[in-house]
Every structure is written in C-alpha cells, then in structure tokens.
Amino acid sequence: LSHNRIYTVFFGSKGRTLLGTGKGISVFKDTVCSAFKIGEVLDNANVFNISEDSKQNLWFSSLGSAVFRFNGKVLKNFIAKDGLETNFVFSVLEYKKNTYWFLTDVGLYELTDKGIKLINPADLTDKVTYYSYLKDKNNVTWLACNKGVLKHTGKTFQLFTQKKGLVNNNIWKIFQDREQNLWFASKENGLSKLANEQFLMYTIKDGLASNEIDRIYQSKDGHYWIGSRKGLIMYDGEKFLNYKAFERQVPDRITAI
C-alpha cells in the first residue's frame, strides 16, 4: 500500500483495482498490492476519488492537489493556471461528450474544449460545496452538496433539503439499491432513503453507530453495508448491526467499501 489511509476503491474497465490513498495510488491484483506510480505530484497526493470516462481516461480527484487526467501515457494536472481556483476536488462527472464537471469545495467547475470555468447551473445563491454524484438507472443525475441534494433531469434542477424531508442538508454520498431506492449519506445526521417519492430517515436513534456516514453498499444477499465515523454497520432491512460493538478488528472510520 502507498498509505494506510484508503479513501476509495475503484474497479476499472481494464481489470485493475485501484485504491486512492493518502499518498497516491495503489493497485491490487492477484492478492498483491503495490504502488501505482504515475507522476511525482499525484504519487504524493491525497487521492479522494477515482473515475473513468467514456474514452477510458482515468480521473483522480484529490484533496490538496486538484484533479488529474491520465490517458494511459500522459498525466495532466488541472490547477489554478487552467482556471480551477481550488486544490480540493471531490469528484469528476462526465456530464456529456467533451464536457466534465469538477465537484469542489468552492462550487462546480466545467471543463470543455474552451477551458475551465465556474458555473452555477442550478442558480443557487450561496457558495456551494459539491461532494459527489450519482447517475441513476433512469439517467437522472443527482448531486450531493452542503445545501442538500440536486436532481438534474438534463433540463431542470430540483433541490431537496431538510425542509422537504431530507435527513440533513449536508449530504456526502448517494447510492441506488437494486430496488431503485435512493440512499443519501449525511455528514451530520444519518441516512435518508427515498422510496416511492417519500423520505425515510435513519439515525443513531434507530441503531446506527454514528450519524456521520461515509459510504453505503448493497451486497448480493440484499444486505446494506454502511461505512461510518464509528466503524462498519450492516443493515438487513429490519435492524442495524454495528460491527465495532462485537470487538472485531474494524477501524474506527470506514471510508470505502
């Protein structure tokens, strides 16, 4: 491993499993993990997220070193001189052909053939921190941010907030399960589940070990695995099992599943 802090696990189209760590990229193959060296800046970066576009370019979002694109041969680091006025990029969305959105701590940046510019497509009045996104099974794009969740159908934006039933306005991650329910992980107040156009809420009062949720994943048996500030949580649809409570060797904070 390049570093003991793992932010994300990415399964690429070329059969590689890449790990975004506190010091660059690691690659996992045939039970062996090794550093994936590409360039000095990236090799020492806090790599928070990894994604792959339709051209099989790899995108590395980092906390402190902005964003990188790797086409298999050339590594490009997009920074201030390119028009990106922050070094904290949480994720990269391929919005449409030759158009990318960078989700950052100071707003949404758009990369096109003409360069990079700050955009505000939802016409939000305050500065927004965008964390992550999901393209659901109906090709609707959902953006998680510190003002709630934005639903983008391609033409319009709709903002869901705590006043509309969301568990909290500071939403970190979005997940869609096999029943097409949407789950929203908050940084402060647990989970929201959107099912049949209604929000359900789950907090420590319902059995969560922590209200600060980092990840959620559904396994083949239908169980949900939740990464939180206080360990790993399993939800079987009826009750929550907090694995730290069983004194297993689980880290305090689970950021990737």
Side-chain angles (χ1 to χ4, degrees):
L1 274 174
S2 303
H3 196 274
N4 283 334
R5 177 177 293 169
I6 308 298
Y7 289 109
T8 187
V9 179
F10 172 76
F11 302 95
S13 62
K14 297 181 180 180
R16 295 179 300 195
T17 299
L18 301 179
L19 311 176
T21 82
K23 191 176 181 181
I25 311 296
S26 290
V27 58
F28 184 79
K29 186 176 181 180
D30 298 330
T31 72
V32 176
C33 194
S34 58
F36 187 49
K37 300 290 187 180
I38 303 177
E40 184 177 356
V41 177
L42 177 58
D43 294 344
N44 290 282
N46 282 288
V47 179
F48 186 77
N49 192 61
I50 304 172
S51 59
E52 187 175 39
D53 66 23
S54 58
K55 299 176 183 178
Q56 295 191 333
N57 295 313
L58 289 173
W59 292 85
F60 305 102
S61 307
S62 81
L63 306 181
S65 302
V67 62
F68 303 81
R69 181 186 64 203
F70 183 56
N71 66 4
K73 296 181 179 180
V74 179
L75 180 68
K76 166 65 176 175
N77 187 194
F78 294 93
I79 52 177
K81 69 179 180 64
D82 301 299
L84 185 60
E85 299 176 358
T86 179
N87 288 324
F88 288 81
V89 180
F90 293 100
S91 52
V92 176
L93 164 63
E94 185 176 15
Y95 179 61
K96 58 183 178 181
K97 185 178 180 180
N98 297 323
T99 301
Y100 299 87
W101 285 359
F102 298 158
L103 284 67
T104 82
D105 63 328
V106 295
L108 197 61
Y109 283 84
E110 183 175 79
L111 170 66
T112 65
D113 294 336
K114 298 179 180 180
I116 298 175
K117 64 179 181 180
L118 182 66
I119 62 173
N120 185 19
D123 293 323
L124 299 178
T125 55
D126 300 323
K127 185 180 78 172
V128 182
T129 297
Y130 290 90
Y131 299 114
S132 63
Y133 68 88
L134 171 78
K135 281 191 175 181
D136 70 20
K137 295 172 184 176
N138 295 316
N139 206 33
V140 173
T141 299
W142 299 78
L143 300 173
C145 66
N146 66 339
K147 303 298 179 183
V149 175
L150 283 166
K151 178 184 179 181
H152 181 41
T153 61
K155 296 181 179 180
T156 62
F157 285 86
Q158 181 180 2
L159 179 64
F160 293 91
T161 65
Q162 196 166 4
K163 291 182 179 179
K164 295 183 180 180
L166 199 61
V167 73
N168 189 262
N169 285 340
N170 207 1
I171 300 300
W172 187 244
K173 290 290 181 181
I174 309 170
F175 173 77
Q176 186 172 36
D177 63 25
R178 63 188 62 178
E179 291 79 26
Q180 300 193 29
N181 301 312
L182 291 169
W183 295 77
F184 305 98
S186 83
K187 294 187 72 176
E188 301 172 11
N189 204 34
L191 284 166
S192 281
K193 175 183 176 182
L194 181 59
N196 299 318
E197 300 184 356
Q198 290 188 334
F199 282 106
L200 301 174
M201 294 187 293
Y202 303 94
T203 70
I204 56 175
K205 294 179 181 179
D206 301 293
L208 286 175
S210 170
N211 276 337
E212 187 173 347
I213 306 300
D214 283 313
R215 297 280 173 167
I216 181 168
Y217 172 79
Q218 188 178 28
S219 54
K220 292 181 180 180
D221 59 9
H223 292 169
Y224 299 91
W225 296 88
I226 301 162
S228 81
R229 172 71 76 169
K230 293 184 178 180
L232 183 65
I233 306 164
M234 192 273 284
Y235 179 57
D236 62 6
E238 296 182 358
K239 61 183 181 297
F240 294 96
L241 293 177
N242 300 306
Y243 274 71
K244 190 175 180 182
F246 293 101
E247 298 182 355
R248 300 189 181 187
Q249 297 300 312
V250 178
D252 285 343
R253 185 171 187 178
I254 304 296
T255 58
I257 300 176

PDB file of all heavy atoms in Angstrom, residues 203-232:
ATOM      1  N   THR A 203     -31.161   7.244  11.962  1.00  0.00           N
ATOM      2  CA  THR A 203     -30.141   7.915  12.756  1.00  0.00           C
ATOM      3  C   THR A 203     -29.679   6.985  13.878  1.00  0.00           C
ATOM      4  O   THR A 203     -30.071   5.813  13.933  1.00  0.00           O
ATOM      5  CB  THR A 203     -30.688   9.220  13.358  1.00  0.00           C
ATOM      6  OG1 THR A 203     -31.660   8.895  14.369  1.00  0.00           O
ATOM      7  CG2 THR A 203     -31.350  10.092  12.289  1.00  0.00           C
ATOM      8  N   ILE A 204     -28.881   7.518  14.796  1.00  0.00           N
ATOM      9  CA  ILE A 204     -28.434   6.704  15.931  1.00  0.00           C
ATOM     10  C   ILE A 204     -29.618   6.251  16.785  1.00  0.00           C
ATOM     11  O   ILE A 204     -29.531   5.226  17.456  1.00  0.00           O
ATOM     12  CB  ILE A 204     -27.404   7.463  16.790  1.00  0.00           C
ATOM     13  CG1 ILE A 204     -27.961   8.802  17.284  1.00  0.00           C
ATOM     14  CG2 ILE A 204     -26.104   7.669  16.018  1.00  0.00           C
ATOM     15  CD1 ILE A 204     -27.035   9.528  18.238  1.00  0.00           C
ATOM     16  N   LYS A 205     -30.716   6.975  16.710  1.00  0.00           N
ATOM     17  CA  LYS A 205     -31.907   6.568  17.450  1.00  0.00           C
ATOM     18  C   LYS A 205     -32.495   5.269  16.906  1.00  0.00           C
ATOM     19  O   LYS A 205     -33.203   4.542  17.614  1.00  0.00           O
ATOM     20  CB  LYS A 205     -32.964   7.670  17.403  1.00  0.00           C
ATOM     21  CG  LYS A 205     -32.550   8.950  18.126  1.00  0.00           C
ATOM     22  CD  LYS A 205     -33.626  10.008  18.022  1.00  0.00           C
ATOM     23  CE  LYS A 205     -33.219  11.292  18.724  1.00  0.00           C
ATOM     24  NZ  LYS A 205     -34.265  12.351  18.597  1.00  0.00           N
ATOM     25  N   ASP A 206     -32.190   4.963  15.644  1.00  0.00           N
ATOM     26  CA  ASP A 206     -32.682   3.735  15.011  1.00  0.00           C
ATOM     27  C   ASP A 206     -31.668   2.603  15.072  1.00  0.00           C
ATOM     28  O   ASP A 206     -31.946   1.495  14.598  1.00  0.00           O
ATOM     29  CB  ASP A 206     -33.042   4.015  13.552  1.00  0.00           C
ATOM     30  CG  ASP A 206     -34.094   5.098  13.416  1.00  0.00           C
ATOM     31  OD1 ASP A 206     -35.235   4.854  13.837  1.00  0.00           O
ATOM     32  OD2 ASP A 206     -33.765   6.189  12.906  1.00  0.00           O
ATOM     33  N   GLY A 207     -30.480   2.886  15.625  1.00  0.00           N
ATOM     34  CA  GLY A 207     -29.483   1.837  15.771  1.00  0.00           C
ATOM     35  C   GLY A 207     -28.162   2.078  15.068  1.00  0.00           C
ATOM     36  O   GLY A 207     -27.233   1.268  15.211  1.00  0.00           O
ATOM     37  N   LEU A 208     -28.036   3.169  14.304  1.00  0.00           N
ATOM     38  CA  LEU A 208     -26.758   3.478  13.675  1.00  0.00           C
ATOM     39  C   LEU A 208     -25.702   3.763  14.743  1.00  0.00           C
ATOM     40  O   LEU A 208     -25.990   4.395  15.761  1.00  0.00           O
ATOM     41  CB  LEU A 208     -26.886   4.703  12.773  1.00  0.00           C
ATOM     42  CG  LEU A 208     -27.620   4.542  11.430  1.00  0.00           C
ATOM     43  CD1 LEU A 208     -27.741   5.898  10.742  1.00  0.00           C
ATOM     44  CD2 LEU A 208     -26.892   3.563  10.529  1.00  0.00           C
ATOM     45  N   ALA A 209     -24.485   3.305  14.496  1.00  0.00           N
ATOM     46  CA  ALA A 209     -23.407   3.574  15.438  1.00  0.00           C
ATOM     47  C   ALA A 209     -23.007   5.040  15.427  1.00  0.00           C
ATOM     48  O   ALA A 209     -22.525   5.572  16.429  1.00  0.00           O
ATOM     49  CB  ALA A 209     -22.194   2.707  15.101  1.00  0.00           C
ATOM     50  N   SER A 210     -23.196   5.689  14.287  1.00  0.00           N
ATOM     51  CA  SER A 210     -22.816   7.087  14.147  1.00  0.00           C
ATOM     52  C   SER A 210     -23.766   7.763  13.171  1.00  0.00           C
ATOM     53  O   SER A 210     -24.304   7.128  12.259  1.00  0.00           O
ATOM     54  CB  SER A 210     -21.377   7.200  13.630  1.00  0.00           C
ATOM     55  OG  SER A 210     -21.059   8.525  13.279  1.00  0.00           O
ATOM     56  N   ASN A 211     -23.946   9.068  13.337  1.00  0.00           N
ATOM     57  CA  ASN A 211     -24.739   9.846  12.386  1.00  0.00           C
ATOM     58  C   ASN A 211     -23.903  10.374  11.229  1.00  0.00           C
ATOM     59  O   ASN A 211     -24.451  10.944  10.280  1.00  0.00           O
ATOM     60  CB  ASN A 211     -25.413  11.020  13.093  1.00  0.00           C
ATOM     61  CG  ASN A 211     -26.712  10.616  13.767  1.00  0.00           C
ATOM     62  OD1 ASN A 211     -27.339   9.628  13.389  1.00  0.00           O
ATOM     63  ND2 ASN A 211     -27.110  11.369  14.778  1.00  0.00           N
ATOM     64  N   GLU A 212     -22.579  10.192  11.306  1.00  0.00           N
ATOM     65  CA  GLU A 212     -21.698  10.630  10.225  1.00  0.00           C
ATOM     66  C   GLU A 212     -21.397   9.435   9.331  1.00  0.00           C
ATOM     67  O   GLU A 212     -20.649   8.528   9.696  1.00  0.00           O
ATOM     68  CB  GLU A 212     -20.409  11.227  10.774  1.00  0.00           C
ATOM     69  CG  GLU A 212     -19.553  11.849   9.697  1.00  0.00           C
ATOM     70  CD  GLU A 212     -18.357  12.592  10.246  1.00  0.00           C
ATOM     71  OE1 GLU A 212     -18.322  12.826  11.476  1.00  0.00           O
ATOM     72  OE2 GLU A 212     -17.459  12.936   9.460  1.00  0.00           O
ATOM     73  N   ILE A 213     -22.004   9.432   8.135  1.00  0.00           N
ATOM     74  CA  ILE A 213     -21.939   8.287   7.230  1.00  0.00           C
ATOM     75  C   ILE A 213     -21.069   8.623   6.022  1.00  0.00           C
ATOM     76  O   ILE A 213     -21.250   9.663   5.391  1.00  0.00           O
ATOM     77  CB  ILE A 213     -23.352   7.888   6.756  1.00  0.00           C
ATOM     78  CG1 ILE A 213     -24.276   7.640   7.963  1.00  0.00           C
ATOM     79  CG2 ILE A 213     -23.271   6.645   5.870  1.00  0.00           C
ATOM     80  CD1 ILE A 213     -23.833   6.551   8.897  1.00  0.00           C
ATOM     81  N   ASP A 214     -20.146   7.728   5.696  1.00  0.00           N
ATOM     82  CA  ASP A 214     -19.246   7.944   4.564  1.00  0.00           C
ATOM     83  C   ASP A 214     -19.633   7.147   3.321  1.00  0.00           C
ATOM     84  O   ASP A 214     -19.493   7.633   2.202  1.00  0.00           O
ATOM     85  CB  ASP A 214     -17.811   7.562   4.953  1.00  0.00           C
ATOM     86  CG  ASP A 214     -17.150   8.625   5.814  1.00  0.00           C
ATOM     87  OD1 ASP A 214     -17.241   9.809   5.463  1.00  0.00           O
ATOM     88  OD2 ASP A 214     -16.539   8.271   6.838  1.00  0.00           O
ATOM     89  N   ARG A 215     -20.104   5.919   3.499  1.00  0.00           N
ATOM     90  CA  ARG A 215     -20.367   5.047   2.348  1.00  0.00           C
ATOM     91  C   ARG A 215     -21.569   4.159   2.623  1.00  0.00           C
ATOM     92  O   ARG A 215     -21.895   3.868   3.781  1.00  0.00           O
ATOM     93  CB  ARG A 215     -19.166   4.141   2.056  1.00  0.00           C
ATOM     94  CG  ARG A 215     -17.898   4.853   1.672  1.00  0.00           C
ATOM     95  CD  ARG A 215     -17.889   5.271   0.228  1.00  0.00           C
ATOM     96  NE  ARG A 215     -16.718   6.106  -0.056  1.00  0.00           N
ATOM     97  CZ  ARG A 215     -16.299   6.424  -1.268  1.00  0.00           C
ATOM     98  NH1 ARG A 215     -16.951   5.979  -2.317  1.00  0.00           N
ATOM     99  NH2 ARG A 215     -15.244   7.195  -1.444  1.00  0.00           N
ATOM    100  N   ILE A 216     -22.185   3.675   1.542  1.00  0.00           N
ATOM    101  CA  ILE A 216     -23.212   2.641   1.655  1.00  0.00           C
ATOM    102  C   ILE A 216     -23.135   1.749   0.421  1.00  0.00           C
ATOM    103  O   ILE A 216     -22.895   2.222  -0.695  1.00  0.00           O
ATOM    104  CB  ILE A 216     -24.623   3.241   1.833  1.00  0.00           C
ATOM    105  CG1 ILE A 216     -25.671   2.127   1.982  1.00  0.00           C
ATOM    106  CG2 ILE A 216     -24.972   4.200   0.718  1.00  0.00           C
ATOM    107  CD1 ILE A 216     -27.022   2.618   2.453  1.00  0.00           C
ATOM    108  N   TYR A 217     -23.310   0.455   0.645  1.00  0.00           N
ATOM    109  CA  TYR A 217     -23.176  -0.533  -0.423  1.00  0.00           C
ATOM    110  C   TYR A 217     -24.147  -1.671  -0.145  1.00  0.00           C
ATOM    111  O   TYR A 217     -24.387  -2.030   1.019  1.00  0.00           O
ATOM    112  CB  TYR A 217     -21.734  -1.059  -0.472  1.00  0.00           C
ATOM    113  CG  TYR A 217     -21.523  -2.230  -1.403  1.00  0.00           C
ATOM    114  CD1 TYR A 217     -21.404  -2.031  -2.773  1.00  0.00           C
ATOM    115  CD2 TYR A 217     -21.424  -3.530  -0.913  1.00  0.00           C
ATOM    116  CE1 TYR A 217     -21.215  -3.103  -3.631  1.00  0.00           C
ATOM    117  CE2 TYR A 217     -21.216  -4.604  -1.759  1.00  0.00           C
ATOM    118  CZ  TYR A 217     -21.111  -4.383  -3.117  1.00  0.00           C
ATOM    119  OH  TYR A 217     -20.921  -5.451  -3.960  1.00  0.00           O
ATOM    120  N   GLN A 218     -24.717  -2.250  -1.202  1.00  0.00           N
ATOM    121  CA  GLN A 218     -25.633  -3.383  -1.046  1.00  0.00           C
ATOM    122  C   GLN A 218     -24.975  -4.647  -1.593  1.00  0.00           C
ATOM    123  O   GLN A 218     -24.566  -4.692  -2.757  1.00  0.00           O
ATOM    124  CB  GLN A 218     -26.949  -3.119  -1.777  1.00  0.00           C
ATOM    125  CG  GLN A 218     -28.018  -4.164  -1.512  1.00  0.00           C
ATOM    126  CD  GLN A 218     -29.338  -3.854  -2.213  1.00  0.00           C
ATOM    127  OE1 GLN A 218     -29.358  -3.204  -3.251  1.00  0.00           O
ATOM    128  NE2 GLN A 218     -30.438  -4.306  -1.644  1.00  0.00           N
ATOM    129  N   SER A 219     -24.866  -5.676  -0.760  1.00  0.00           N
ATOM    130  CA  SER A 219     -24.261  -6.930  -1.186  1.00  0.00           C
ATOM    131  C   SER A 219     -25.283  -7.805  -1.912  1.00  0.00           C
ATOM    132  O   SER A 219     -26.479  -7.500  -1.959  1.00  0.00           O
ATOM    133  CB  SER A 219     -23.671  -7.676   0.022  1.00  0.00           C
ATOM    134  OG  SER A 219     -24.639  -7.851   1.032  1.00  0.00           O
ATOM    135  N   LYS A 220     -24.817  -8.916  -2.463  1.00  0.00           N
ATOM    136  CA  LYS A 220     -25.676  -9.782  -3.269  1.00  0.00           C
ATOM    137  C   LYS A 220     -26.845 -10.360  -2.475  1.00  0.00           C
ATOM    138  O   LYS A 220     -27.890 -10.681  -3.046  1.00  0.00           O
ATOM    139  CB  LYS A 220     -24.842 -10.919  -3.870  1.00  0.00           C
ATOM    140  CG  LYS A 220     -23.846 -10.454  -4.923  1.00  0.00           C
ATOM    141  CD  LYS A 220     -23.058 -11.619  -5.496  1.00  0.00           C
ATOM    142  CE  LYS A 220     -22.071 -11.153  -6.551  1.00  0.00           C
ATOM    143  NZ  LYS A 220     -21.281 -12.293  -7.114  1.00  0.00           N
ATOM    144  N   ASP A 221     -26.678 -10.501  -1.169  1.00  0.00           N
ATOM    145  CA  ASP A 221     -27.757 -11.044  -0.342  1.00  0.00           C
ATOM    146  C   ASP A 221     -28.790  -9.984   0.045  1.00  0.00           C
ATOM    147  O   ASP A 221     -29.730 -10.264   0.787  1.00  0.00           O
ATOM    148  CB  ASP A 221     -27.195 -11.716   0.912  1.00  0.00           C
ATOM    149  CG  ASP A 221     -26.365 -10.758   1.772  1.00  0.00           C
ATOM    150  OD1 ASP A 221     -26.363  -9.545   1.497  1.00  0.00           O
ATOM    151  OD2 ASP A 221     -25.719 -11.241   2.714  1.00  0.00           O
ATOM    152  N   GLY A 222     -28.607  -8.779  -0.464  1.00  0.00           N
ATOM    153  CA  GLY A 222     -29.558  -7.709  -0.193  1.00  0.00           C
ATOM    154  C   GLY A 222     -29.261  -6.873   1.025  1.00  0.00           C
ATOM    155  O   GLY A 222     -29.925  -5.878   1.283  1.00  0.00           O
ATOM    156  N   HIS A 223     -28.252  -7.256   1.797  1.00  0.00           N
ATOM    157  CA  HIS A 223     -27.894  -6.506   2.990  1.00  0.00           C
ATOM    158  C   HIS A 223     -27.137  -5.231   2.607  1.00  0.00           C
ATOM    159  O   HIS A 223     -26.428  -5.189   1.599  1.00  0.00           O
ATOM    160  CB  HIS A 223     -27.033  -7.353   3.921  1.00  0.00           C
ATOM    161  CG  HIS A 223     -27.779  -8.500   4.524  1.00  0.00           C
ATOM    162  ND1 HIS A 223     -27.143  -9.520   5.211  1.00  0.00           N
ATOM    163  CD2 HIS A 223     -29.101  -8.808   4.555  1.00  0.00           C
ATOM    164  CE1 HIS A 223     -28.038 -10.395   5.640  1.00  0.00           C
ATOM    165  NE2 HIS A 223     -29.236  -9.976   5.245  1.00  0.00           N
ATOM    166  N   TYR A 224     -27.290  -4.226   3.438  1.00  0.00           N
ATOM    167  CA  TYR A 224     -26.604  -2.960   3.219  1.00  0.00           C
ATOM    168  C   TYR A 224     -25.408  -2.858   4.164  1.00  0.00           C
ATOM    169  O   TYR A 224     -25.515  -3.158   5.357  1.00  0.00           O
ATOM    170  CB  TYR A 224     -27.550  -1.780   3.467  1.00  0.00           C
ATOM    171  CG  TYR A 224     -28.749  -1.760   2.553  1.00  0.00           C
ATOM    172  CD1 TYR A 224     -29.937  -2.400   2.917  1.00  0.00           C
ATOM    173  CD2 TYR A 224     -28.693  -1.115   1.319  1.00  0.00           C
ATOM    174  CE1 TYR A 224     -31.038  -2.389   2.072  1.00  0.00           C
ATOM    175  CE2 TYR A 224     -29.796  -1.100   0.470  1.00  0.00           C
ATOM    176  CZ  TYR A 224     -30.961  -1.742   0.857  1.00  0.00           C
ATOM    177  OH  TYR A 224     -32.046  -1.732   0.022  1.00  0.00           O
ATOM    178  N   TRP A 225     -24.288  -2.418   3.612  1.00  0.00           N
ATOM    179  CA  TRP A 225     -23.076  -2.228   4.392  1.00  0.00           C
ATOM    180  C   TRP A 225     -22.764  -0.744   4.410  1.00  0.00           C
ATOM    181  O   TRP A 225     -22.649  -0.114   3.357  1.00  0.00           O
ATOM    182  CB  TRP A 225     -21.927  -3.047   3.812  1.00  0.00           C
ATOM    183  CG  TRP A 225     -22.198  -4.512   3.890  1.00  0.00           C
ATOM    184  CD1 TRP A 225     -22.846  -5.275   2.961  1.00  0.00           C
ATOM    185  CD2 TRP A 225     -21.893  -5.382   4.980  1.00  0.00           C
ATOM    186  NE1 TRP A 225     -22.950  -6.574   3.393  1.00  0.00           N
ATOM    187  CE2 TRP A 225     -22.375  -6.671   4.633  1.00  0.00           C
ATOM    188  CE3 TRP A 225     -21.245  -5.206   6.200  1.00  0.00           C
ATOM    189  CZ2 TRP A 225     -22.233  -7.771   5.470  1.00  0.00           C
ATOM    190  CZ3 TRP A 225     -21.102  -6.303   7.048  1.00  0.00           C
ATOM    191  CH2 TRP A 225     -21.577  -7.567   6.664  1.00  0.00           C
ATOM    192  N   ILE A 226     -22.631  -0.208   5.608  1.00  0.00           N
ATOM    193  CA  ILE A 226     -22.547   1.236   5.793  1.00  0.00           C
ATOM    194  C   ILE A 226     -21.234   1.577   6.483  1.00  0.00           C
ATOM    195  O   ILE A 226     -20.913   1.046   7.556  1.00  0.00           O
ATOM    196  CB  ILE A 226     -23.739   1.733   6.640  1.00  0.00           C
ATOM    197  CG1 ILE A 226     -25.063   1.380   5.938  1.00  0.00           C
ATOM    198  CG2 ILE A 226     -23.640   3.230   6.891  1.00  0.00           C
ATOM    199  CD1 ILE A 226     -26.266   1.415   6.857  1.00  0.00           C
ATOM    200  N   GLY A 227     -20.465   2.450   5.858  1.00  0.00           N
ATOM    201  CA  GLY A 227     -19.231   2.929   6.468  1.00  0.00           C
ATOM    202  C   GLY A 227     -19.497   4.213   7.225  1.00  0.00           C
ATOM    203  O   GLY A 227     -20.066   5.160   6.682  1.00  0.00           O
ATOM    204  N   SER A 228     -19.100   4.249   8.478  1.00  0.00           N
ATOM    205  CA  SER A 228     -19.403   5.406   9.326  1.00  0.00           C
ATOM    206  C   SER A 228     -18.147   5.873  10.064  1.00  0.00           C
ATOM    207  O   SER A 228     -17.098   5.251  10.003  1.00  0.00           O
ATOM    208  CB  SER A 228     -20.492   5.050  10.340  1.00  0.00           C
ATOM    209  OG  SER A 228     -19.962   4.364  11.447  1.00  0.00           O
ATOM    210  N   ARG A 229     -18.304   6.969  10.786  1.00  0.00           N
ATOM    211  CA  ARG A 229     -17.219   7.512  11.607  1.00  0.00           C
ATOM    212  C   ARG A 229     -16.845   6.561  12.741  1.00  0.00           C
ATOM    213  O   ARG A 229     -15.718   6.570  13.231  1.00  0.00           O
ATOM    214  CB  ARG A 229     -17.658   8.862  12.166  1.00  0.00           C
ATOM    215  CG  ARG A 229     -16.750   9.464  13.183  1.00  0.00           C
ATOM    216  CD  ARG A 229     -15.455   9.954  12.592  1.00  0.00           C
ATOM    217  NE  ARG A 229     -15.600  11.187  11.865  1.00  0.00           N
ATOM    218  CZ  ARG A 229     -14.592  11.934  11.431  1.00  0.00           C
ATOM    219  NH1 ARG A 229     -13.366  11.536  11.638  1.00  0.00           N
ATOM    220  NH2 ARG A 229     -14.814  13.043  10.755  1.00  0.00           N
ATOM    221  N   LYS A 230     -17.806   5.694  13.135  1.00  0.00           N
ATOM    222  CA  LYS A 230     -17.562   4.783  14.251  1.00  0.00           C
ATOM    223  C   LYS A 230     -17.656   3.321  13.832  1.00  0.00           C
ATOM    224  O   LYS A 230     -18.245   2.488  14.503  1.00  0.00           O
ATOM    225  CB  LYS A 230     -18.531   5.075  15.390  1.00  0.00           C
ATOM    226  CG  LYS A 230     -18.313   6.432  16.046  1.00  0.00           C
ATOM    227  CD  LYS A 230     -19.230   6.642  17.247  1.00  0.00           C
ATOM    228  CE  LYS A 230     -18.975   7.966  17.915  1.00  0.00           C
ATOM    229  NZ  LYS A 230     -19.866   8.194  19.087  1.00  0.00           N
ATOM    230  N   GLY A 231     -17.077   3.023  12.682  1.00  0.00           N
ATOM    231  CA  GLY A 231     -16.981   1.639  12.268  1.00  0.00           C
ATOM    232  C   GLY A 231     -17.960   1.209  11.190  1.00  0.00           C
ATOM    233  O   GLY A 231     -18.660   2.020  10.573  1.00  0.00           O
ATOM    234  N   LEU A 232     -18.022  -0.105  10.988  1.00  0.00           N
ATOM    235  CA  LEU A 232     -18.830  -0.717   9.936  1.00  0.00           C
ATOM    236  C   LEU A 232     -20.196  -1.125  10.483  1.00  0.00           C
ATOM    237  O   LEU A 232     -20.306  -1.674  11.580  1.00  0.00           O
ATOM    238  CB  LEU A 232     -18.098  -1.953   9.398  1.00  0.00           C
ATOM    239  CG  LEU A 232     -18.742  -2.703   8.238  1.00  0.00           C
ATOM    240  CD1 LEU A 232     -18.785  -1.828   6.984  1.00  0.00           C
ATOM    241  CD2 LEU A 232     -17.962  -3.985   7.952  1.00  0.00           C
TER     242      LEU A 232
END
